[in-house]
Amino acid sequence: MLKLNPKFDLHRDVVCDILRKEASVCRVKEYSGAVDTCILNIERDGGILYSWKGATGTTRIGKYDSNTKQNKLLYTFDKQVCVSSCSLNKEETLLAVSLAQNTRGEEHLKPISKCLTLLIEIHPINNTKVLKAVDCRVKVQFLYSETDRRSVLESHLLLLTEDGYADLYHVLLTRQEGYRVVMANPERLSKTAERIVEDFCWVQWDGHTQRVYYLTPNDKFLMRCVQFYPNHNCETVLELPLELPANLFHTVKFVNLGFDHYHTERPEQELVRLEVFTDRIGSMCVCYSQPLKDKQELIYTVVLVHKDCRKTFRVSLGSDQSPEKAAYLHPLFIPIGYHILVYLQDYFLHCVNTRQQEMLCHSLFLSGLDVDLGLQCQSANITVLHAEEESSGSLLDLASGRIHTTELSPAFLLQILRSDTPRCPSSKADPQRLAALHWLLVYMGNDPNLELKIIEWLCDNVYAFESFDQIQEFILASLYRISYEKSLSLDKVLPYSSVLDKKEILACLLEVPGVLCTTELHIESVFKGKARSLQGFWAELQWNTERTKYLDAVPNPRYRTSHIQADWDKLRSERRQSSHMNHMEENTKKVLSMVDTWCLDKKLVPLFQEEDHQQRALIGLTVDKLREHLNRHLPRLGKKKIDLLVVNYVAKLLELIRHMLESVWLKYKLGPRVLCFTQQGSPAEWSVFHFMFRILEATRGLCLPLPPGYHTLLAVFAVRCLPHHTFLQYIDHGFLQLTETFVSRLMTDLDNSDANERLKFSILKRLPEPMEQRIYHMWDHPISSASISRDYTRTLLEKLNKNKGFAFTGRDKPGFRPEFLPLTYLAKILSDTEEQALNPFEEQENVDARFVEETALKQTLILLGFEEK
């Protein structure tokens, strides 16, 4: 389940070297005595401090350099002592140690303190200064400046005591005789101490970021963070209230402050386990657990400071666990990427997604037989080492002295995808598949071999699952990967999962059996310090927190691709070129130029080789709408950065679909013959057609563009794999789009057999008139010749008579049959002339009424015979 990579082995890297040196001291070929070696501390530079009991009855302290793989002796005590804490300054001139004093046996009558803290000059070995002699444990830790000035003659030492306070010592050094580095005023050292923290019950040191987190037991537990700056000034930068029961800490709990092999805390003394994890991009997670003795349940909480929320999980441990043991069980909190692994050995593993935490289905949860991290020891012996510059923490087995870097095994996650057993029905497997798929794509997707295996899995599971569409998830998660490292604020703005777009989400995606989750928003974190001090990580964390509060308050902060459907329908209805269409085309050119840059050597699948006006318009519209959305919600990123991000996003979409097609092309060993119309499709080609059709279905559901040429390629597969009548039905129902490239090739490549003629006529009837006229020029057939002749004659006659005022609109009249165009044209002229002639029976304006009266009277007299004509 976990992929453990060996990083350090105490026996291999240290003990073997010590044995060789001890043999040299004793002047023997091989030293056979026991060497009691233990790890004391791990400094910021990766150096591992350790102690061992030498052959001459002394205790020695050494350092293993993880970069050079070399060991170095730092100091030798003249007798055996118990080193409970140790730290080395960056320049390797001072060594701070805390010794646990032996108060048993003959020593118990002597008035000595339980802990003696020393500061030793070791460049070269010289004076020793006693810093503290107290009856409580004392932890020592040098600050490490980010500057690489080895000539700096000052060091700064933290002393943290079990009495609940921390002092910072400023040690001034001086150089003597050109090489000796000694303390300038050792007698005044105690006067330089500065009290920075008081009254804490829990404290954690973060060496990589030079921070101290501590918990104060007031009316309400309050966690504070003190940040040390390169100039060694410090200030409190964060306050965070935590909801914890009272009386949790019988003694002060030290985290990440070395390893005390002479003070072991009994399980019943540890009523809570609390740790803080941060990432340089601006995320902070506070994790703590509380067993419930009576209910045989475990409660653990993950406070997502960057998301301004607290998620509390209650997990049942089952009735087979004894209440006494259940009361002292604590999980391991292991940071891996942007997940926190909550692991309770023999019970469960919960991979909490700290970036997309809204739904449980995006956090992998396993229990029972599925849980085995592959650790070679009990989890109680494991210590999680924090390392901000790495993507995941490391695990230290104190018993064996081994350190491993950790990552979740890709093979294990692929196994979850492929799981389809009676023990794991679909309703239970779907959430696990969804979480595993996102982990593989977002946090491991840069591995091309792994991505190929996922695409093969998609090919083998073409039909959508009951609760989610795996191809839509593949597309959105892969696109999210290219941007998630740029800014945490993109998490709630960019598309992440198609599940979030569904009107009805199945219950299996909203809950996990045996796990109760409650979410509390607005955790009341308070950022302190002056504005100039909130830089780097703290500026990002504060921005992420404030932006999260804003996005929680506004409607629809997440960009939903389906929301552009109305704009897309409107754009398709535009017939004339407009400034808006020109703007869309400019967007498209930017995207396609980026794709061309990426794909110069990839021509396996014939895409991006034709003009597809509809897809080009949709590409431009997608760029425009996504850019508008990001500019509205994340103006801090800047227009240039947003524009580049959006263009890359859409270009990656097109490239991703091309990559999917190339993968299945290679999987089924397809060649150029698949583009030939004259052959029937093979079973392999049918599988590719089915896969391409599912991609079309998935992208239409999300209203996402396809690479130009995709519809042509899909139509080629369709006409080869489907019966002609089914192919035409696919066109009529809008599943297939007739592109000019496809139709022109079909007209020229297929012969004029009866079946092919019927197909061609059926396709011609379904084409818009402008395309139909162009296609007739490509088909060698009497019908096409007749059509070309008619069009030519009509154009010629319209041109000759344009100035005579006759508009040739015969095709617009029903029943008009222009088979013989000259005769039709003559009939049209006569008809138009007749329409323009004066109708004597119609009432005319300006009639002389007197004249009409006299004429009527005259006609009446003639009819009566009184007058002659």
Side-chain angles (χ1 to χ4, degrees), residues 183-202:
M183 288 178 275
N185 296 301
E187 68 280 355
R188 296 177 55 84
L189 196 57
S190 59
K191 295 182 179 180
T192 68
E194 175 187 355
R195 182 65 52 87
I196 60 168
V197 175
E198 280 190 298
D199 192 26
F200 60 75
C201 57
W202 170 93

Side-chain angles (χ1 to χ4, degrees), residues 684-694 710 713-719 721-722 730 736:
E685 292 160 16
W686 167 260
S687 299
V688 175
F689 165 67
H690 196 188
F691 186 63
M692 289 185 66
F693 191 76
R694 278 287 293 115
Y710 189 94
L713 192 59
L714 181 61
V716 171
F717 276 99
V719 79
C721 296
L722 298 174
Y730 272 53
L736 291 176

Side-chain angles (χ1 to χ4, degrees), residues 416-479:
I416 293 177
L417 286 185
R418 297 164 180 157
S419 63
D420 190 16
T421 62
R423 187 173 62 86
C424 190
S426 177
S427 59
K428 178 183 177 182
D430 277 5
Q432 296 178 356
R433 286 196 191 102
L434 183 59
L437 180 61
H438 275 268
W439 190 310
L440 285 166
L441 292 171
V442 177
Y443 308 108
M444 300 180 182
N446 291 325
D447 182 355
N449 294 327
L450 183 60
E451 190 175 53
L452 182 60
K453 292 178 181 178
I454 298 173
I455 294 175
E456 289 180 354
W457 172 75
L458 292 175
C459 291
D460 297 336
N461 297 270
V462 176
Y463 294 104
F465 290 120
E466 182 181 359
S467 56
F468 68 95
D469 186 320
Q470 64 271 31
I471 294 181
Q472 289 184 344
E473 295 299 315
F474 176 84
I475 292 172
L476 292 182
S478 298
L479 293 177

Side-chain angles (χ1 to χ4, degrees), residues 767-822:
L767 296 179
E769 184 177 339
M771 187 191 297
E772 179 188 5
Q773 294 174 359
R774 292 192 296 270
I775 294 301
Y776 271 129
H777 286 266
M778 303 176 186
W779 184 23
D780 185 13
H781 192 274
I783 295 296
S784 63
S785 301
S787 175
I788 294 171
S789 300
R790 284 195 303 271
D791 292 337
Y792 176 74
T793 305
R794 181 185 303 108
T795 304
L796 184 62
L797 293 174
E798 286 179 348
K799 183 177 180 181
L800 291 174
N801 295 278
K802 187 174 182 181
N803 298 326
K804 295 185 177 181
F806 297 116
F808 190 74
T809 57
R811 292 192 64 173
D812 297 333
K813 292 191 175 183
F816 199 87
R817 302 176 60 82
E819 282 81 3
F820 185 59
L821 288 177

